[in-house]
Amino acid sequence: MRLRAPRPEDASDLGRVHVEAWREGYKDGLMPEEYLASLSVEERAGLWAEALERPPRDRSARLVSVD
């Protein structure tokens, strides 16, 4: 496994992981099931694509793990 900075072509995978992590992390009553079910991989991928066009905020980093 290695770490690297995310690239624009990673947006789709980042969107999928983002939604899967929320659905797993906030299940069992931590967040309403209806809300978790409504999360869109495509929408999150779009948000990631936009975010990756900008540099990270000060004192933060973005990394992806590649296996």
Side-chain angles (χ1 to χ4, degrees), residues 2-66:
R2 65 183 175 88
L3 298 176
R4 63 167 172 79
R7 299 185 289 247
E9 58 268 23
D10 294 318
S12 178
D13 287 332
L14 288 168
R16 180 183 50 77
V17 169
H18 191 140
V19 168
E20 287 177 6
W22 269 65
R23 287 181 177 159
E24 185 63 27
Y26 293 106
K27 67 181 181 180
D28 298 328
L30 292 174
M31 292 286 282
E33 292 298 321
E34 303 83 33
Y35 175 74
L36 295 174
S38 75
L39 294 175
S40 165
V41 170
E42 293 78 16
E43 182 181 318
R44 292 293 166 176
L47 293 172
W48 274 107
E50 290 175 15
L52 292 174
E53 292 177 6
R54 299 183 303 273
R57 294 179 185 162
D58 289 342
R59 299 188 325 181
S60 67
R62 298 181 195 137
L63 299 171
V64 295
S65 171
V66 180

